[in-house]
Structures are given as structure tokens and as C-alpha cells.
Amino acid sequence: MEKSCTLLVHFDKGTPAIATEIKEALEGSDVSAKIEAMKKAISLLLNGETLPQLFITIVRYVLPSEDHTVQKLLLLYLEIIDKKDQKGRVLPEMILICQNLRNNLQHPNEYIRGVTLRFLCRLNETEIIEPLIPSVLQNLEHRHPFIRRNAILAVMSIYKLPQGEQLLVDAPEMIEKVLSTEQDQSAKRNAFLMLFTCDQDRAINYLLTNVDKVSEWGELLQMVVLELIRKVCRTNRGEKGKYIKIIISLLNAPSNAVIYECAGTLVSLSSAPTAIRAAANTYCQLLLSQSDNNVKLIVLDRLNELKSSHREIMVDRIMDVLRALSSPNLDIQRKTLDIVLELITPRNINEVVLMLKKEVMKTQNGELEKNGEYRQMLIQAIHSCAIKFPEVASTVVHLLMDFLGDSNVASAIDVAIFVREIIETNPKLRVSIITRLLDTFYQIRAARVCCCALWIIGEYCLSLSEVESGIATIKQCLGELPFYSVSEEGEAPTDASKNSQQPSSVTVSSRRPAILSDGTYATQSAASETAFSPPSIVQGSLAAGNLRSLLLTGDFFLGAVVACTLTKLVLRLEEVQPSRGEVNKVSTQALLIMVSMIQLGQSPVLSHPIDCDSYDRIVLCIRLLCSTGDEVRKIWLQSCRQSFVKMLSEKQLRETEELKAKAQVSYAQPDDLIDFYHLKSRKGMSQLELEDEVQDDLKRATGEFIKDRDDANKLNRILQLTGFSDPVYAEAYVTVHHYDIVLDVTVINRTTETLQNLCLELATMGDLKLVERPQNYTLAPESSRQIKANIKVSSTETGVIFGNIVYEASNVLERTVVVLNDIHIDIMDYISPAVCTDTAFRSMWAEFEWENKVAVNTIIQSEKDFLDHIIKSTNMKCLTAPSALDGDCGFLAANLYAKSVFGEDALVNVSIEKQLDGKLSGYIRIRSKTQGIALSLGDKITLKQKGGS
């Protein structure tokens, strides 16, 4: 049995102190030696030693000491030693310390009195406390506030003992008198807390008697008042009208802690617009006035909760929330933007976008090291605003296009994706966006951004001038051809040939092929042997742009995108250019560029050759330009854009479905009571109470008060812990709430005898921790008892709770043990479906180090049905678009994503194919940052994938 203690001191048992040495030090007259000896003794006791031989020595030589440190250590020693024998009776030698404690309670020194009173708060032995009660009560009237406040706490702890009401019958009356005359704020707080805990009616009566003085009370007392109000109104919601006035008055308190608690109390008690508006104002003031980042994050969480339940009121506070962006902390900025994006309306969109534009321009100064990440968040926020309200796109798109060449690749990609979406959804901006994109294209340095920008150029350059400008821009960024050359000896080699690692020469015959300056081949005659240096890269002039430098690094995927863009532009030029000769000239130049890229990819100048996919793509473009059919032209010029439009519509549909899923669903029962506001008596009600009545009526009518009642779900969470034939029957109702697990255990005595010292002993496996050990109970025959146990959860993984019920019967000398069934805590209680972008998913997939690979083993024969079954079993969100899962090709690949209550990400990739015999095969790969979630999800999938429940 693990014993509870209030002091935990690290002590190295590798060199334990010898009891005789401690005893000699305690018997000596050296105070410092006594202090060290007491510390060693306490450390040994906390580490499991008993040291019974020291007690008499401490009574003889330590009790009389006048040193304050020695007395403090003595009280710690007395707190942790065993004061009862195995039968639960107080040890006789404990009587020896009673006289010393009484002397301390009457000691002339205030510190000795105070710490002794505090020590009594931790004593549970009635036999020791009873003789000390008169001395404790005398200290209630001591002149020093330190003693009075600890005396009040001692009275409260004594009164809360099982026999405390018999020991101190009139304790609440005494404390009420003390409260009415007390001037010290801490002592008043303790006195009110005692009434609140032990006699709630007296506390309420005192509060209502002094309503007008509450705003003048100290911070500590005001916090207890708010706690009392919350407790009273939770048990009786009809009483809240009495306390609203107190809460409103405390909103102007000088203490920020009181203001914060006051706003939270107001939200929990009232749904009236006036009350919610006051709470929102208070939170916004705290958000701007507090410098502590942790406080800001907590306040933002409260504002986020208000946004979920009272969006209309929070819309008016959107600019106040936006001011939190002035904080340099990325977490605060991210939370702020998340809240603001859900509060945007046509009325405030212009102000919000203007503020975001100013923040984007601030990030250009480069003073902060995380400016790139912050700029990326701002770009994504502006993107979201522009999609919801297309009319603001024209005010931001040109500003953001300046960041296409940003050194932060992630933000540059976000800008490119934003521009791609805006140019499709806002046809009026097409010309200006294309013009700006062609002007700034040379600034782009990232290959992925170049690919996106080239796709935009290929799809949205429609007029003759735009097509010609697009082709000219690409040619300029590619630079002069060829990309590599073979130079003769005696000619001035290029810089690249000077740095060639292989200066060897080769001898050729009298007739040899040669590459001319324009990239074409010719046959050259030579009368004598001529030596050539090996091929080398031609870096081009300084004017050569970004595409050339990226291609020369071996990025042939970008080369394939260049080829596709040139193909689209040439095909569109054939439609808008009346001169056939001009079209042929441009087509020839495009073919030359494509052939040069293939030559570069197949040449030995690069460390790795061109990949097969890029090669096939470029060859396809060459063939297409040589012979074009109408069907192929339609695919290249129309179908690609139609696919993009379909993708955007599916994305918008998914976002709409997510908003619907987030919306609160309420159910009203047919026989629920509905009060009619206009028929109610309004006599004596304030405006706030009237508004609250209206809101309560609306909630009752729509069923919001009962929306959490899911009786069927509750029944599923009841677990049987013992058998029906056991003398003690137990079952548990398990409630999982974020970081806490609450076990509500019902224990029934099925015998005809009284069970004494019945105790529920629990232990945990995994990252679970029992908060406190349940106390012992006495159960009458055939009676029951509700026992609650709190367990803390520290990570997302499957845990096990196991234990026993131990009790004593009157006719049995030994204790009886009933073993309980194990309680398995499911990982599904901690994770919920979430959404992230494809880019974020790939980034996390590459970053996370823990992977669990599960082989597919199922009786399900449909790929789509199996995927749906995995999604349902793992409580995850499928990120792959439905259109990508359509069809029946025998293969399926999908990405799933979920987030835990601890902020952990869970990534799953499902890759399956149908075999010839109709069975499914493949793998499910799970990745996460922590090992626990990867293993637990893998176990869950292994258990569920066969199609079981």
C-alpha cells in the first residue's frame, strides 16, 4: 500500500546514514549537527526506512530545542512517521508529543505558533488533536495575523475530520464571528473558505449581507467568492440572478486574476448577450495588457471557446483580437489567426485584410529570425480571406506576388498556390496577374514555385501578346543554348571547362559531327587529327535566369514542366496567331529547347542522368508539336484546366462539409418544457436577467441543454469489474476527458455481513498515473457505495488499469481480496479527425521518426470498403480527395490524418491492391513523433482490419 506524503526529498540510498551516528548527533549540543541529523532521518524515512529507535531520542533531545529550523524539521518528522499500529490505534508514545505541541501553541514566538498550527492541518489522529483544541481556539484571537490565519485553517481541517463535528460543534459560528471582525485579508479569505467548505449556507448569507462591499475586499477573498458563486449556481441555476450583480461589479477589480476568473464565471452562468459581451471585452483587455505569453495563450483559448458558442458577439471584437499579432511569439500569432479567420464577415473583411497586409509588409524588414514562418501564416490567412470573399483578392494578390521569390520556400509556394486559385476564381484579375507574373518570374528561385508559376503561364496566357511574352520569358530564363558544349583545344575554354575534373583529350577521324553555336548538328572535315576536351556545362551569361541554373543542377522534373508549358503556349499560339510562318518559327525554337534538355540529361556532364518519367514527358511534348490532332489539342488546352476547376470545387465542398460537421447539433424532446418569455412576470428582474431568460428559453426550445445526453453511449462505457457470484460486485463508468480519466466505481455488498475497511486498490500500466488513493469505507449488508478515482494521462497510448477490492469481514480475521477485471483505455478516446494540407502532411511524414508498418490481412474484398472500415476504426480523416478514389483499377492509396488531445499528429498511409484471387494485399504505414501513438494505432488497426467490430 502506497502511503500519501506531503514532502518528497531526493536522497541517495547508496550511502545511507547509520542510525547510531544520527542518534549521537541528536544527543549532542551542536545545533547545526542536529539539523543535519534530522534531515538525514527524514530522508531515510521517506525512502522506506522505519528507524523506531530514534523516536525517544528525538523526544528527549530535539523537542526542547528553541531553534526554529530544528522545530520545523521536528514537525516534518512527526508528520511522516507512523502514528498508528497495525490495528489502527494510536501508538502510546504519541501522547509524549501532545504536551510539546500544546506548549508550541502557547509559545511567545509567532513563527513557532504558526508552523505548529499548520502542522495540525495535516494530522488525522483525533486522539492527538482533541487535547489541543482549546489552545487552537485561543489563537483565533491572537494579535498577529499570521497566527490567526493558520488557526482558522487548523479549525477547518479539524472540523472536516470524520469526528470533527463532535470535537468542534460551534466551529462555523466562531469562524463567522471572526470573519465579521477580522481585518487581515488573508485571514478573512481563510475564514470565508472555512464557511464555504463546512457551512455553505452561512457563507452565502455573509456574502449576500455584504454585497456592496465585495468590490473592496482583497484579491484572495474575491477569488473564493467567485468559486462559491460557481458552486452554488451549478447546483441551482435558478439562484444565479442573485449573484450576477456581484460578478459584474468584480469585472472592474484591480486584480487581473480576479478579472479573468470573473469573466469565466460570467460565461459559465449566463448566456445573455450583455454578459458574454462583458466577458469578451475583459478577455481582450487581458490579451493586450499582459506580457506573459502563457497568459496570452490561455486567454486566446477562452476567446476560442466564446467564438464557438457566441460567434455573433465575437465578430464585433475581431479587431481587438487581431492586435495580439503584435506579439513575436509564433504560437500566439497562429492561434490569433485561427480565431480571426472564423470571425470574418462581409462587414469586417476589408479591415482584417488591411491589417494582414500591414503585418506582411512588416515581415520584410528581416529583424526577427522567424519572419519567414510568420509571413507564411499571414499568406495562408489572406488566401483564406480571398477565397471566402473574392472581392478583396484584387487588393492583396499583387502585394503577395512580390514574395514569389521569397527565400522561405514554404511561403513562396503558398503564394504561388494562392495566385493559381485566385486567377481561376477571379477572371477579371487574369490579365493583371499574368502581366505581373511574367514581370517577376525571373525572381523565383525555388523549383516547386517555378513549376506552379509555369503551369499558370501555360494555362492562362490567352491573348497573342500574353503568349508571346510567356514564350519570351521562358527563353530568357533558360538562357542561350546549348546547355553544354565540346570545345576544341586551342580555343578559349569556358569557365566550366577550366574546372573540368578530366582534362584528357580524344582523337577523332577526318569527318566528325559537331555542335554549332545555335545547338544544331553539322559535319565538319579535318585534314589532321584534332584534340577535344570532354563536354562541359555552359553556365550562360549573367542575364541567364533561374530556369537554367535549376536545370543545370539536374532538376529534370522542372525541365518536363518547361516542355509542357512551351507546348501549351505553342498550341495556343496556333489559335491566336494568323501567321503560320511565325508559329513554325516559335515551334522550332521550342523543339530545340526540349531536345537540348534531353541532350543535357543524357550527357556525362551531370552526376545523374535524366529520369525516365521526365524523359517520356519531354518526348511526348516533342511528338505533340510535330503532329497535333484535335483531340490531343483539346486535352492539353481544355481538360487540364477543367480538372483544376473540379479540384477547387471539391475542395470547397470539403470545407463546407467540415463547417457543417463543426456546427452544434441539438435535439429537443417532445415533452420538454417551454416557457413563454412574454407571459413571464418581470418584476424585480434586471436587464441582464431578462436577457438570460430569453437565451435559456431559446436553448431549451432548441434542445441545447440536453444535447450531451447520450444514454446509449454511456451504457457502452460501463465495465463490469467483478463476477456476479463474488461477495462484492463492482462496475465502473469510465469518463475520458482530455488529460483526465474518471472512474466512477459502484461497489455493492452482496453479503449479509458488514464489510469493514473496504478499499479500492488501483494500479496502472502505461503513461497513466493515479492521482490519489481512494479511502476506506464500511459497507452495510446489501448496501452500495460510489467510489471515484482520478487518473492523469500524459501521452496518447493505450493504457491498462488493474486492481483489487480489499475488505475485512467481522467473522474473518484475514483480509479478503477480490481481483478486478482489467480496464483498457482506448487510444480512440484521445484522437480526433483533423485536416492539414498535402504539403504539411508530406513535411511531417518526412520529419517523423517512428513508423509502424502493418500488413493488410482482411476478408473485405473491396478496396473502398476496406478504406472506409479503417477510417471508421481509427477515427481519422481521409485527406485524399474522393475523386482520386473513384474508379475500379485494383489499386488504392490514401492518406489519413488525426490529432490527439495532447497536440500529437498521427499520419497513416493506406496502400492496397487487389490480387487475382480477389483478396486485398498491401501495407498500412503509421508515422508519428512519439512511439506510443504509432504502436497503439498499429495494434488497433491489426485488431480491427479483419472486419470485426
Side-chain angles (χ1 to χ4, degrees):
M1 295 290 291
E2 184 179 352
K3 299 178 182 179
S4 59
C5 70
T6 56
L7 176 69
L8 182 63
V9 179
H10 171 74
F11 183 76
D12 185 7
K13 291 191 70 175
T15 56
I18 300 175
T20 55
E21 294 180 0
I22 298 176
K23 186 176 180 181
E24 291 175 1
L26 294 175
E27 290 175 351
S29 58
D30 187 358
V31 176
S32 60
K34 281 187 178 182
I35 292 173
E36 290 301 319
M38 286 296 294
K39 288 181 178 180
K40 290 180 180 180
I42 292 170
S43 299
L44 286 171
L45 287 168
L46 289 174
N47 282 278
E49 302 291 337
T50 54
L51 304 178
Q53 66 272 31
L54 289 182
F55 182 78
I56 298 301
T57 302
I58 288 174
V59 169
R60 290 182 59 190
Y61 296 101
V62 179
L63 279 184
S65 176
E66 294 292 329
D67 185 80
H68 291 180
T69 305
V70 173
Q71 286 295 321
K72 179 69 174 177
L73 291 171
L74 171 64
L75 293 176
L76 289 175
Y77 169 80
L78 294 176
E79 183 180 336
I80 62 177
I81 61 172
D82 291 327
K83 304 173 190 67
K84 293 184 178 181
D85 58 17
Q86 293 181 349
K87 296 183 179 180
R89 293 174 296 192
V90 175
L91 295 170
E93 56 264 29
M94 287 297 115
I95 305 302
L96 296 173
I97 68 171
C98 286
Q99 183 60 41
N100 178 74
L101 293 175
R102 185 185 294 110
N103 293 338
N104 282 354
L105 292 174
Q106 298 171 355
H107 200 282
N109 185 274
E110 291 85 358
Y111 176 77
I112 298 294
R113 284 200 189 198
V115 294
T116 306
L117 287 166
R118 181 59 65 91
F119 165 71
L120 293 181
C121 295
R122 292 165 172 78
L123 275 184
N124 297 320
E125 290 72 27
T126 308
E127 294 85 346
I128 301 175
I129 291 176
E130 189 172 2
L132 306 176
I133 290 178
S135 300
V136 173
L137 297 180
Q138 288 178 4
N139 283 307
L140 289 174
E141 300 175 357
H142 194 275
R143 59 180 178 79
H144 201 286
F146 175 71
I147 295 175
R148 295 199 302 273
R149 70 177 71 129
N150 284 295
I152 294 169
L153 291 177
V155 169
M156 180 175 71
S157 63
I158 295 172
Y159 191 79
K160 288 167 65 178
L161 291 174
Q163 300 176 4
E165 295 185 15
Q166 286 79 27
L167 296 175
L168 288 171
V169 179
D170 56 348
E173 297 177 12
M174 287 188 296
I175 298 300
E176 188 176 17
K177 291 179 182 178
V178 170
L179 182 59
S180 60
T181 58
E182 183 60 61
Q183 299 300 317
D184 181 69
Q185 294 299 327
S186 295
K188 286 187 73 172
R189 178 259 180 195
N190 292 349
F192 190 80
L193 180 63
M194 189 274 175
L195 293 181
F196 168 36
T197 306
C198 304
D199 194 342
Q200 187 172 302
D201 292 336
R202 286 182 184 273
I204 293 171
N205 183 53
Y206 178 80
L207 175 62
L208 296 178
T209 306
N210 298 273
V211 168
D212 298 331
K213 300 179 182 178
V214 173
S215 57
E216 302 172 3
W217 292 350
E219 173 187 350
L220 297 174
L221 184 54
Q222 288 175 344
M223 297 284 279
V224 181
V225 166
L226 290 172
E227 189 178 347
L228 172 65
I229 292 173
R230 282 196 295 269
K231 183 178 179 181
V232 171
C233 294
R234 270 198 298 266
T235 56
N236 188 1
R237 294 187 65 86
E239 295 287 325
K240 63 184 177 182
K242 300 178 183 178
Y243 305 103
I244 292 294
K245 181 179 178 182
I246 299 174
I247 300 173
I248 295 295
S249 67
L250 289 179
L251 281 175
N252 299 317
S255 168
N256 289 325
V258 173
I259 293 173
Y260 172 79
E261 289 294 333
C262 196
T265 305
L266 200 57
V267 172
S268 64
L269 297 185
S270 174
S271 55
T274 304
I276 302 301
R277 201 170 288 114
N281 286 337
T282 302
Y283 285 140
C284 290
Q285 290 171 11
L286 290 173
L287 184 63
L288 299 177
S289 63
Q290 296 301 303
S291 57
D292 192 321
N293 288 339
N294 293 318
V295 174
K296 287 179 180 286
L297 289 170
I298 292 171
V299 171
L300 284 170
D301 285 336
R302 301 291 83 76
L303 287 171
N304 191 38
E305 292 171 2
L306 278 185
K307 176 217 38 166
S308 302
S309 54
H310 303 280
R311 183 180 182 276
E312 299 79 8
I313 295 172
M314 283 298 298
V315 165
D316 297 332
R317 304 259 66 86
I318 188 169
M319 297 310 295
D320 293 331
V321 177
L322 259 180
R323 292 192 181 94
L325 291 177
S326 58
S327 170
N329 185 275
L330 279 179
D331 293 326
I332 294 174
Q333 292 165 340
R334 185 178 292 107
K335 277 196 174 185
T336 302
L337 290 173
D338 290 342
I339 293 172
V340 167
L341 289 178
E342 295 189 29
L343 297 176
I344 295 173
T345 63
R347 192 175 59 191
N348 58 31
I349 181 63
N350 290 324
E351 291 179 282
V352 172
V353 170
L354 182 61
M355 180 80 169
L356 295 178
K357 283 173 61 178
K358 290 180 179 178
E359 291 296 317
V360 169
M361 288 187 280
K362 286 180 184 177
T363 62
Q364 291 179 292
N365 56 26
E367 293 178 2
L368 300 175
E369 58 176 314
K370 294 189 177 180
N371 266 348
E373 295 180 51
Y374 180 39
R375 187 186 306 125
Q376 183 182 359
M377 288 192 294
L378 291 172
I379 290 169
Q380 291 172 349
I382 293 174
H383 184 179
S384 179
C385 294
I387 298 305
K388 291 180 182 177
F389 302 94
E391 62 272 11
V392 302
S394 59
T395 62
V396 294
V397 66
H398 298 299
L399 169 67
L400 295 186
M401 288 181 73
D402 291 336
F403 296 100
L404 283 171
D406 195 351
S407 57
N408 184 352
V409 178
S411 63
I413 292 172
D414 287 333
V415 172
I417 293 172
F418 169 67
V419 172
R420 186 182 65 181
E421 195 164 342
I422 292 302
I423 200 172
E424 173 59 39
T425 56
N426 292 264
K428 295 180 181 179
L429 300 177
R430 185 192 63 79
V431 176
S432 60
I433 290 176
I434 285 295
T435 304
R436 186 65 178 272
L437 180 59
L438 293 174
D439 290 341
T440 58
F441 185 82
Y442 70 94
Q443 299 175 355
I444 301 174
R445 290 291 178 264
R448 291 183 61 190
V449 182
C450 280
C451 291
C452 190
L454 286 169
W455 187 89
I456 295 172
I457 293 172
E459 289 293 335
Y460 296 98
C461 286
L462 304 180
S463 66
L464 177 60
S465 59
E466 291 170 351
V467 172
E468 291 176 342
S469 299
I471 295 173
T473 300
I474 293 173
K475 288 173 60 179
Q476 180 183 357
C477 292
L478 286 172
E480 298 177 355
L481 299 178
F483 296 112
Y484 77 100
S485 64
V486 179
S487 58
E488 296 183 14
E489 282 189 352
E491 296 180 358
T494 61
D495 292 339
S497 61
K498 290 179 182 178
N499 299 327
S500 177
Q501 296 180 356
Q502 298 178 352
S504 60
S505 60
V506 296
T507 304
V508 298
S509 60
S510 58
R511 298 186 61 82
R512 57 179 171 78
I515 302 174
L516 302 181
S517 60
D518 61 352
T520 58
Y521 283 95
T523 301
Q524 181 176 339
S525 299
S528 61
E529 293 184 344
T530 308
F532 287 88
S533 63
S536 59
I537 290 176
V538 178
Q539 300 290 348
S541 64
L542 293 176
N546 45 2
L547 293 180
R548 187 183 190 93
S549 60
L550 291 170
L551 278 174
L552 294 180
T553 61
D555 191 345
F556 288 102
F557 177 79
L558 176 61
V561 175
V562 171
C564 293
T565 304
L566 287 173
T567 302
K568 290 179 183 178
L569 291 175
V570 171
L571 293 178
R572 189 160 283 118
L573 185 65
E574 293 177 1
E575 295 180 349
V576 298
Q577 173 60 265
S579 173
R580 188 63 189 173
E582 188 65 28
V583 173
N584 290 337
K585 179 181 177 182
V586 173
S587 178
T588 303
Q589 293 172 343
L591 288 169
L592 180 59
I593 292 172
M594 297 176 198
V595 171
S596 298
M597 288 191 292
I598 290 178
Q599 289 177 344
L600 176 65
Q602 294 177 336
S603 68
V605 296
L606 296 180
S607 58
H608 55 86
I610 186 172
D611 58 283
C612 297
D613 291 337
S614 300
Y615 175 83
D616 292 342
R617 191 73 170 165
I618 296 174
V619 170
L620 176 65
C621 294
I622 294 173
R623 290 175 178 171
L624 184 60
L625 289 182
C626 293
S627 59
T628 307
D630 292 337
E631 284 299 322
V632 176
R633 184 187 301 274
K634 182 180 178 182
I635 291 173
W636 280 72
L637 297 184
Q638 297 180 20
S639 298
C640 295
R641 189 166 170 183
Q642 290 171 359
S643 298
F644 178 61
V645 172
K646 185 179 179 181
M647 185 190 81
L648 291 181
S649 61
E650 287 182 352
K651 177 184 174 185
Q652 191 172 6
L653 182 62
R654 283 202 307 270
E655 292 175 352
T656 306
E657 290 175 352
E658 288 167 13
L659 291 175
K660 288 181 181 179
K662 288 181 181 179
Q664 294 182 349
V665 180
S666 302
Y667 301 97
Q669 298 299 326
D671 55 350
D672 279 351
L673 176 66
I674 298 179
D675 294 327
F676 289 93
Y677 164 70
H678 293 287
L679 301 181
K680 280 186 177 180
S681 172
R682 308 182 194 178
K683 186 176 180 180
M685 297 179 72
S686 65
Q687 180 62 31
L688 187 62
E689 291 177 81
L690 291 174
E691 291 181 13
D692 216 18
E693 290 290 339
V694 175
Q695 294 297 320
D696 286 351
D697 291 344
L698 288 173
K699 286 184 177 182
R700 195 175 289 109
T702 57
E704 189 169 335
F705 281 152
I706 60 166
K707 65 175 183 282
D708 293 331
R709 295 180 186 173
D710 188 352
D711 295 333
N713 189 37
K714 285 187 176 181
L715 290 174
N716 292 335
R717 291 182 176 274
I718 295 178
L719 302 174
Q720 182 179 339
L721 300 181
T722 63
F724 292 113
S725 61
D726 287 321
V728 175
Y729 175 77
E731 64 181 19
Y733 172 60
V734 183
T735 304
V736 179
H737 181 70
H738 295 322
Y739 300 91
D740 300 302
I741 298 174
V742 179
L743 298 182
D744 194 349
V745 183
T746 302
V747 180
I748 303 174
N749 179 6
R750 304 183 70 242
T751 68
T752 57
E753 301 176 356
T754 299
L755 304 183
Q756 299 175 345
N757 293 328
L758 184 142
C759 178
L760 176 66
E761 298 178 351
L762 295 175
T764 60
M765 182 184 298
D767 282 343
L768 306 175
K769 182 180 180 183
L770 189 65
V771 176
E772 58 184 353
R773 187 173 63 89
Q775 66 184 67
N776 293 357
Y777 297 96
T778 300
L779 270 186
E782 298 182 358
S783 63
S784 63
R785 166 74 69 171
Q786 299 290 123
I787 303 176
K788 286 196 173 182
N790 293 322
I791 295 170
K792 288 288 182 185
V793 187
S794 57
S795 72
T796 309
E797 64 177 81
T798 300
V800 180
I801 304 170
F802 53 93
N804 311 311
I805 290 180
V806 184
Y807 63 90
E808 297 173 355
S810 57
N811 60 349
V812 181
L813 297 178
E814 296 182 356
R815 306 190 75 184
T816 305
V817 178
V818 179
V819 180
L820 305 180
N821 291 332
D822 295 345
I823 301 174
H824 293 266
I825 303 302
D826 196 349
I827 187 178
M828 295 301 104
D829 293 322
Y830 304 129
I831 68 173
S832 56
V835 179
C836 70
T837 63
D838 291 340
T839 305
F841 186 92
R842 292 191 186 96
S843 175
M844 289 187 288
W845 188 269
E847 176 189 350
F848 291 170
E849 56 185 8
W850 290 104
E851 177 175 307
N852 191 1
K853 192 174 182 181
V854 180
V856 173
N857 181 17
T858 179
I859 59 175
I860 302 174
Q861 295 191 348
S862 168
E863 305 98 311
K864 190 71 170 64
D865 291 344
F866 179 73
L867 177 63
D868 293 338
H869 178 68
I870 293 296
I871 292 171
K872 182 180 178 182
S873 302
T874 58
N875 195 26
M876 303 188 81
K877 174 75 174 177
C878 182
L879 301 182
T880 307
S883 60
L885 301 174
D886 289 341
D888 187 14
C889 62
F891 297 90
L892 185 145
N895 293 330
L896 312 181
Y897 178 64
K899 211 170 181 66
S900 75
V901 295
F902 308 101
E904 299 168 318
D905 301 288
L907 313 179
V908 172
N909 174 260
V910 181
S911 299
I912 51 179
E913 66 172 313
K914 181 174 285 190
Q915 302 293 333
L916 295 176
D917 57 1
K919 293 183 179 180
L920 298 181
S921 66
Y923 290 96
I924 302 170
R925 297 166 68 194
I926 306 149
R927 287 198 182 183
S928 67
K929 190 173 281 187
T930 58
Q931 182 184 21
I933 194 169
L935 293 178
S936 299
L937 259 182
D939 294 341
K940 186 73 175 179
I941 291 174
T942 302
L943 180 67
K944 294 283 188 178
Q945 68 167 325
K946 291 189 177 183
S949 57

